[in-house]
């Protein structure tokens, strides 16, 4: 008969997680157990028989009939062995060796003779749950579920948990913690659509590949009120936001798992819960709407997942003091195949190579297919779009659609999301134009142009469409894709490209455009989510990161991803293993150390300088002649002695990661690490007329960290990145780790149950591989034997001290803390007292917190009731007294007010009479004085106007009396008064116009700085022209003086020669006489004309200079003048141009006259001098 179990112990969930029943009939003790890990192949594990009438079956209790039972107190901790040797990186399901006793800390000592059920590993590698029929020596006879009976070595048996523990929601509750039991428990819950299971502080989420009824507003409300305590993403998010508010410490939710495990959906669910709890400002709706945008531009269909995120992201959501969402941020930084992005959406590791290359059966990024399927006819015509089948980038994989997905509908969803995050329609069209340009770039073809296989792009529809979409010249695009400029010292060399080089240049341009476009979109999302954001120092970060990858062929992408996973695993280890145990030791509590796999050696292999993987890769990338083979040889030469590295033949090398061995092939490592985008391509983008390509070029030049000549261009050909991809990746990974290190982490491990994405299918080997990679078993072991909750003595006593019945004012914090623990009867096994802190097992602090909340709630209820009673009594007394006082006070007040009002009325009447009379007198006097003044002014004006018109006076218009005064008729006076009134009205209008003009003047003064610069520039131009004219005149004077002296000498030899001026001038004429007499020399007349022209030039220069100076002073306000400076400036400019034209004409006329005189009086030599001078004169511009 099975032992009787007390009612208080019938439910294991009410017991501590690491305690269980002692199966001995003579004992009812609670004993502690430890856990370990076990390996398992891809086998199906049968479900065990459930509970029988709610009691523990004989199978669960008969195992304890011996003192060697695992339920006794003689458990032995054994040495663990690394699981890395069991991992085959080339297979999805791993063939595992026979189990080893050293792997099972739960199996080292127990009586196999009495255990009825155990896990047995068959020769095929499959695990089966068998029944032990008999045990003889070291062998046992096992009955399998299919009826077969086999004989096995007893040491290979792995114990199975009792039926009562089937489907527990926390793996810490398992009595035997081994891999078969963990896999069976997850499978049991998975078959019942319970996809979430706790593993200590870690939440394990198994992707159901179907809709499950675990979400929605009703479930959100249940977890908010804590009426549902089942494991869930909602529970993790609720814990994060409560700890953020309570402890005022930033939180992080780290979601990991391989492609198809459901990381993206899990992150969405967490964001939905945070938005529901912290909503109200409207920003939460924008945050949720960023998911369709990021998925469209960053997700793609792969062989493993129809909606695979080709990036990892960290979403940092900021909260206000009241716990409401106040904003979010997305940060980006480009890498070669990937780029990181963050909402502080951080760390987006985008796979750029997918833009130009896809494997068979996969797709490029969703947005390309959505654009081709959902674009409107107008947009299709504008972008010259065709179907996805027409584009070579999309046709490589022969996969254009996804079952059950409408790309056109998804495109409409993306456009709505872009509107919500405030991306304008113009920017959206530019984004779609860039996408179309990338697609058309893939269709650009090349033709060979010479015998050296140099090529040029074929000028067809593809090339012209790309040039049109990005807004560049088609000739510039052709040169960029067919030639490359390189600067050698001070010379620039133009190199023609061969076909492979041209294709690489085309693909590099396409990848850079798409990655910069993704970066720009994240920046726009940042601007939208930052509106109204207030930095309070409180935030919750959600990290959706890729998992460990191992394929048949692993390249640079897997190299970077697995390195990042090593860093994240160390963060995981430090938080859950290293720091946990170090804190236990430092605080001096009773603790048995738990061993775990530390991956520091593998990280050193990657990061060590100068002989680490990354350092050697960067070193080889700097050599122009470096190849993938030389890189492989260098790694094998320098790292052969490292225990985590193994060199293989050819270009292969193997790294021992924490999750297993991965063999990498160095093909493409150097090219991908360099990721050269030559400055010719950047210059092409900077010369585009569209704004987006210009922004892309500017961003790439800033990243290049090189000096540039001009705003967006650096002459010469070189790569656009100084740092290698691996170095940038390492730096940004360290920033991410530092960011996560400043938060309290919460871990969610997503598990993919099968590779065919089928609901209900549970592949044990695949699940086991993922559990090993994320270290779930080690987490459970350390959590169930550890103390996850800790609090300092001061904080504990301050928080719960008021719950004590006795007075604690004179006690120290430690004594108060111990008194609290004793008062609430917390078992000694459930806590330990350290030097500075109290350490509690899981769930213990929750009991105290619930008691505290209930007590505080009760205190508040009592206080509110008592204060309400006091307020009501006081209010009743006040009402009685107030009613009596009001009657007396109101009567007395009314009487006083009436008496005062009567006195005020009488006084007011008296004052009004005096004031009105005084005002009337003053008005009368003012009118009289004004009339006298007006009359005197009018009479004076009439006298002055009419004093000169004697005839008007005689006609009777006015009369002069005896005293000499002028008398004006009444009609004339009335006419003058009417005119005065009209003049006053006009004066008021002028004053209003003056106010308007003052306002305009203020506006003109604001614009003066602009006009002043223009006027100074014009003044300089005029001065230059004046100096040019003056120089020409001085040269003319000197030349004419020389000619005059020559003519005088000729005149003395031949006095009979006579020269006449041209009749058209009508100004000078020379006559000679035989009898002698005075004669006017023609050359003197010419000099007189030149002198007058020079004098006119100086006068005009002075006049124009004075006018310009005056307008400058008027414009600056130094001189007041009723004129428009701008209009006067234009008029002055026109006058100057008119005078200049007239002056030039007169100069030409003078030239003709002097030329005629010179032909008659000068010798040949003098004529050459004149032609030379007038030749220079003609070359002068006026």
């Amino acid at each position: 008969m099975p032992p009787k179990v007390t009612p208080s112990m019938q439910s294991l969930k009410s017991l501590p997680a690491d305690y269980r029943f002692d199966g001995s009939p003579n004992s009812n003790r609670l004993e502690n157990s430890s856990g370990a890990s076990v390996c398992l192949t891809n086998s199906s594990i049968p479900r065990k028989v459930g509970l029988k009438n709610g009691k523990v079956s004989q199978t669960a209790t008969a195992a304890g009939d011996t003192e060697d039972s695992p339920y006794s107190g003689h458990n032995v901790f054994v040495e663990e062995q690394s699981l890395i040797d069991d991992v085959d990186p080339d297979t999805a399901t791993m063939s595992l060796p026979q189990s080893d006793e050293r792997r099972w800390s739960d199996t080292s000592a127990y009586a196999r003779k009495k255990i009825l059920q155990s896990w047995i590993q068959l020769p095929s590698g499959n695990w089966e749950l068998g029944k032990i029929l008999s045990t003889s020596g070291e062998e046992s006879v096992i009955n399998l579920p299919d009826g077969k009976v086999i004989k096995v070595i007893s040491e290979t048996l792995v114990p199975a948990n009792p039926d009562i523990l089937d489907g527990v929601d926390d793996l810490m509750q398992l009595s035997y913690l081994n891999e078969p039991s963990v896999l069976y428990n997850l499978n049991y819950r998975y078959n019942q659509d319970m996809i979430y299971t706790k593993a200590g502080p870690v939440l394990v989420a198994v992707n159901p590949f179907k809709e499950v009824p675990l979400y929605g507003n009703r479930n959100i409300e249940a977890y908010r009120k804590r009426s549902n305590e089942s494991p869930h993403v909602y529970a993790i998010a609720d814990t994060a936001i409560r700890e953020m508010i309570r402890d005022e410490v930033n939180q992080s939710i780290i979601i990991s798992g391989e492609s198809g495990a459901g990381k993206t959906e899990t992150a969405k669910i967490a964001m939905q819960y945070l938005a529901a709890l912290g909503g109200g400002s409207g920003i939460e709706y924008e945050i949720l709407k960023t998911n369709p945008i990021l998925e469209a531009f960053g997700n793609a269909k792969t062989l493993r997942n129809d909606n695979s995120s080709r990036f990892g992201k960290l979403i940092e959501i900021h909260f206000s003091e009241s716990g409401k969402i106040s904003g979010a941020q997305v940060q980006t930084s480009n890498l070669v195949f990937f780029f990181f992005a963050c909402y502080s959406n951080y760390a987006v590791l985008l796979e750029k190579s997918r833009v130009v290359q896809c494997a068979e059966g996969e797709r490029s990024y969703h947005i390309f297919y959505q654009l081709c399927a959902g674009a409107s006819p107008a947009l299709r015509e504008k972008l010259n779009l065709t179907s996805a089948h027409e584009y070579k980038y999309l046709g490589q994989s022969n996969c254009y659609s996804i079952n059950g997905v409408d790309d056109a509908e998804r495109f409409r969803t993306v456009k709505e999301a872009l509107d919500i995050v405030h991306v304008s329609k113009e920017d959206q069209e530019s984004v779609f134009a860039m996408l179309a340009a990338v697609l058309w770039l893939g269709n650009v073809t090349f033709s060979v142009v010479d015998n050296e296989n140099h090529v040029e792009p074929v000028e067809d529809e593809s090339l012209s469409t790309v040039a049109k979409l990005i807004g560049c010249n088609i000739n510039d695009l052709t040169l960029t894709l067919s030639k490359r400029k390189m600067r050698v010292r001070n010379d620039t060399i133009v190199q023609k490209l061969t076909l492979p080089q041209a294709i690489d240049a085309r693909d590099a341009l396409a990848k850079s455009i798409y990655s910069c476009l993704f970066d720009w979109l994240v920046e726009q999302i940042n601007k939208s989510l930052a509106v109204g954001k207030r930095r309070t120092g409180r935030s919750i970060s959600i990290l959706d990161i890729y998992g460990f990858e191992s394929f048949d062929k692993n390249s640079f992408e897997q190299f970077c991803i697995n390195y990042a996973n090593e860093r994240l695993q160390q963060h995981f280890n430090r938080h859950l293993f290293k720091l946990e145990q170090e804190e236990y030791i430092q605080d001096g509590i009773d603790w048995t150390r738990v061993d775990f796999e530390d991956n520091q050696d593998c990280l050193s292999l990657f990061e060590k300088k100068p002989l680490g993987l990354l350092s050697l890769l960067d070193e080889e990338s700097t050599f122009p002649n470096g190849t993938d083979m030389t890189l492989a040889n260098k790694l094998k030469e320098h790292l052969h002695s490292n225990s985590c590295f193994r060199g293989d033949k050819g270009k292969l090398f193997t790294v021992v990661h924490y999750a297993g061995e991965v063999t990498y092939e160095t093909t493409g490592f150097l090219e991908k690490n360099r990721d050269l985008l030559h400055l010719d391509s950047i210059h092409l983008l900077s010369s585009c007329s569209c704004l987006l390509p210009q922004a892309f070029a500017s961003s790439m030049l800033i990243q290049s960290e090189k000096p540039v000549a001009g705003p967006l261009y650096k002459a010469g050909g070189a790569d656009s990145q100084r740092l290698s991809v691996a170095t940038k990746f390492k730096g940004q990974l360290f920033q991410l780790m530092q960011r996560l290190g400043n938060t309290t982490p919460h871990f969610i491990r997503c598990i993919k149950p099968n590779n065919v994405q089928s609901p209900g299918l549970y592949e044990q080997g695949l699940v086991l591989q993922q559990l090993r990679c994320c270290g779930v078993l080690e987490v459970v072991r350390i959590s169930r034997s550890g103390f996850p909750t800790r609090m300092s003595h001061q904080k504990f006593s301050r928080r719960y001290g008021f719950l004590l019945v006795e007075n604690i004012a004179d006690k120290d914090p430690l004594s108060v803390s111990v008194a609290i623990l004793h008062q609430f009867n917390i078992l000694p096994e459930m806590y330990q007292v350290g030097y500075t802190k109290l350490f509690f097992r899981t769930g213990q602090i929750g009991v105290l917190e619930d008691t505290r909340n209930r007590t505080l709630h009760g205190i508040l209820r009592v206080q509110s009731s008592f204060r309400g009673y006091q307020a009501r009594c006081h209010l009743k007394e006040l009402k009685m007294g107030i009613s009596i006082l009001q009657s007396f006070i109101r009567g007395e007040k009314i009487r006083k007010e009436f008496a005062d009002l009567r006195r005020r009325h009488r006084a007011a009447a008296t004052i009004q009479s005096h004031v009105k009379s005084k005002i009337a007198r003053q008005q009368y006097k003012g009118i009289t004085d004004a009339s006298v003044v007006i009359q005197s002014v009018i009479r004076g004006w009439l006298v002055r106007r009419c004093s000169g018109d004697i005839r008007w006076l005689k006609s009777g218009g006015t009369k002069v009396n005896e005293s000499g005064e002028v008398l004006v008729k009444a009609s004339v006076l009335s006419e003058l008064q009417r005119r005065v009134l009209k003049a006053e009205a006009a004066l008021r209008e002028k004053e209003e116009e003056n106010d308007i003009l003052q306002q305009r003047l203020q506006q003109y003064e604001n614009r003066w700085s602009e006009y002043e610069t223009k006027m100074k520039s014009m003044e300089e131009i005029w001065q230059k022209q004046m100096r040019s004219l003056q120089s020409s005149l001085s040269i003319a004077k000197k030349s004419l003086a020389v000619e005059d002296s020559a003519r005088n000498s000729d005149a003395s030899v031949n006095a009979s020669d006579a020269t006449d001026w041209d009749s058209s001038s009508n100004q000078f004429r020379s006559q000679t006489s035989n009898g002698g007499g005075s004669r006017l020399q023609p050359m003197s007349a010419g000099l007189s004309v030149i002198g007058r022209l020079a004098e006119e030039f100086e006068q005009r220069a002075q006049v124009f200079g004075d006018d310009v100076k005056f307008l400058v002073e008027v414009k600056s306000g130094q001189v007041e003048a009723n004129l428009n400076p701008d209009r006067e400036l234009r008029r002055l400019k026109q006058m100057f141009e008119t005078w200049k034209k007239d002056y030039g004409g007169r100069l030409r006329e003078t030239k003709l006259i002097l030329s005629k005189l010179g032909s008659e009086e000068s010798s040949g030599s003098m004529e050459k001098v004149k032609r030379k001078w007038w030749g220079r004169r003609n070359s002068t511009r006026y």
Side-chain angles (χ1 to χ4, degrees), residues 564-842:
N565 272 270
E566 289 286 351
R567 266 287 159 199
L568 289 171
Q569 182 66 21
Q570 188 189 54
H571 178 72
F572 180 79
N573 291 342
R574 286 185 58 83
H575 180 72
L576 294 180
F577 300 144
K578 284 186 178 179
L579 298 181
E580 187 92 2
Q581 300 194 79
E582 289 175 1
E583 187 172 4
Y584 293 161
I585 296 174
Q586 291 175 1
D587 234 65
I589 68 172
D590 186 13
W591 166 255
T592 302
R593 187 175 184 86
V594 177
D595 295 331
F596 61 92
E597 295 292 337
D598 190 359
N599 64 336
Q600 184 58 50
D601 292 341
C602 187
L603 282 174
S604 300
L605 173 65
F606 275 89
E607 300 170 354
K608 186 178 179 181
K609 294 182 179 181
L611 297 179
L613 287 173
L614 298 178
S615 300
L616 293 175
L617 175 60
D618 288 343
E619 178 182 328
E620 192 67 17
S621 298
T622 59
F623 295 148
N625 297 328
T627 63
D628 298 329
M629 181 58 72
T630 60
L631 171 63
N633 294 333
K634 176 175 287 189
L635 295 179
K636 297 172 187 177
E637 177 185 355
H638 293 285
L639 302 177
H640 64 89
S641 61
N642 194 299
S643 60
C644 295
F645 179 88
R646 184 175 70 248
D648 298 331
K649 62 180 180 179
K651 300 179 182 179
L652 303 178
F653 68 92
T654 300
V655 176
V656 181
H657 291 281
Y658 73 94
E661 295 183 358
V662 179
T663 300
Y664 300 98
E665 184 177 352
T666 59
T667 302
F669 264 53
L670 295 181
E671 180 184 355
K672 295 174 181 178
N673 189 45
R674 294 168 182 153
D675 189 37
L676 302 181
L677 178 65
H678 288 267
L679 288 174
D680 294 335
S681 300
I682 301 179
H683 176 53
L684 174 70
L685 296 178
S686 67
S687 65
C688 295
S689 59
C690 299
L691 297 180
L692 274 184
Q694 294 179 9
F696 297 164
S698 177
S699 175
M700 285 187 284
L701 280 177
I702 292 174
Q703 292 178 10
S704 67
E705 301 178 353
K706 295 180 179 180
V708 294
L712 291 176
Y713 177 62
K714 170 175 171 55
D719 58 284
S720 64
Q721 299 185 11
R722 174 173 295 177
L723 298 177
S724 67
V725 173
T727 302
K728 290 185 177 181
F729 181 67
K730 176 183 175 182
Q732 295 193 358
L733 187 59
F734 270 84
Q735 293 179 6
L736 175 62
M737 292 299 102
Q738 182 179 9
R739 195 184 199 93
L740 294 177
N742 296 328
T743 64
T744 300
H746 306 268
F747 296 95
I748 300 178
R749 300 296 197 182
C750 295
I751 303 296
K752 182 169 68 170
N754 59 79
N755 282 323
V756 294
Q757 306 177 32
S758 175
L761 180 60
Y762 189 84
E763 298 179 3
Q764 303 288 345
L766 179 62
V767 174
L768 175 61
Q769 178 190 3
Q770 298 172 72
L771 291 176
R772 284 176 174 173
C773 291
C774 60
V776 169
L777 294 177
E778 286 77 5
V779 172
V780 176
R781 287 172 49 222
I782 196 171
S783 297
R784 60 190 258 170
S785 59
F787 302 87
T789 306
R790 70 282 320 266
M791 192 177 297
S792 65
H793 301 320
Q794 293 80 3
K795 184 176 181 179
F796 186 83
S797 61
R798 184 170 57 252
R799 188 170 184 83
Y800 306 108
F802 71 94
L803 299 176
L804 286 176
V805 178
E806 56 185 6
N807 187 15
I808 60 171
D810 55 343
K811 294 184 178 181
D812 59 279
L814 179 59
S815 301
V816 173
S817 301
V818 174
I820 295 172
L821 297 174
H822 290 167
Q823 176 175 315
F824 287 92
N825 297 322
I826 298 179
L827 297 178
E829 297 85 358
M830 298 295 101
Y831 70 91
Q832 287 204 30
V833 180
Y835 299 139
T836 60
K837 297 178 182 179
L838 290 173
F839 294 81
F840 296 92
R841 295 197 186 276
T842 302

Side-chain angles (χ1 to χ4, degrees), residues 70-295:
Y71 297 108
S72 66
H74 303 287
N75 290 354
V76 180
F77 291 93
V78 297
E79 179 184 358
E80 295 180 357
Q81 184 175 352
S82 174
L83 302 177
I84 295 176
D85 295 334
D86 298 335
V87 180
D88 184 0
D90 296 332
T91 59
T93 59
M94 313 175 80
S95 177
L96 303 178
Q98 295 291 327
S99 62
D100 191 338
E101 180 186 11
R102 292 177 298 173
R103 295 184 183 273
W104 314 105
S105 60
D106 282 337
T107 66
S108 59
Y110 75 102
R112 301 174 182 86
K113 296 180 180 180
K114 300 298 182 180
I115 288 185
L116 297 183
Q117 293 188 110
S118 294
W119 296 108
I120 178 65
Q121 190 174 26
L122 301 179
S124 62
N126 296 331
W127 286 95
E128 291 285 356
L129 183 63
K131 181 178 180 180
I132 301 177
L133 299 179
S134 63
T135 301
S136 174
E138 297 297 329
E139 294 182 348
S140 298
V141 178
I142 304 296
N143 185 16
L144 299 178
D146 58 2
K148 292 183 180 180
V149 178
I150 61 174
K151 183 181 292 186
V152 298
I153 300 176
S154 300
E155 292 182 353
T156 61
L157 298 178
V158 179
N161 288 287
D163 295 339
I164 195 174
L165 296 180
D166 286 352
V168 292
D169 58 6
D170 193 339
L171 298 180
M172 290 176 59
Q173 299 177 9
L174 295 176
S175 297
Y176 293 111
L177 181 64
N178 48 55
E179 288 181 353
S181 297
V182 170
L183 289 170
Y184 171 78
N185 193 76
L186 293 177
N187 191 9
Y188 185 95
R189 295 178 60 82
Y190 180 73
N191 290 332
Q192 300 181 15
D193 288 341
M194 296 185 292
I195 62 174
Y196 298 113
T197 305
K198 289 190 66 178
V202 177
L203 178 68
V204 178
V206 183
N207 193 345
F209 294 115
K210 65 178 182 179
E211 296 290 337
V212 290
L214 299 178
Y215 313 105
N217 294 331
R218 186 173 65 178
N219 288 282
I220 291 176
E221 189 66 17
Y223 281 94
R224 187 184 69 83
K225 295 181 178 179
R226 293 193 170 183
S227 60
N228 189 344
E229 297 182 356
S230 300
H232 202 289
V233 178
Y234 290 165
I236 296 293
D238 185 79
T239 301
I241 195 170
R242 290 179 185 272
E243 291 184 4
M244 180 196 67
I245 297 175
R246 184 189 67 193
D247 302 334
E248 297 185 355
V249 176
N250 292 345
Q251 308 290 310
S252 61
I253 300 175
I254 301 177
I255 306 172
S256 62
E258 68 174 54
S259 179
K263 302 185 299 296
T264 301
E265 293 300 321
T266 301
K268 289 182 186 178
I269 295 168
M271 292 171 62
Q272 289 171 0
Y273 187 83
L274 295 177
L277 262 65
S281 62
I283 190 68
E284 70 279 359
Y285 184 64
E286 293 186 29
I287 293 176
L288 295 178
K289 281 299 180 181
T290 60
N291 288 319
I293 301 174
L294 294 178
E295 285 189 16

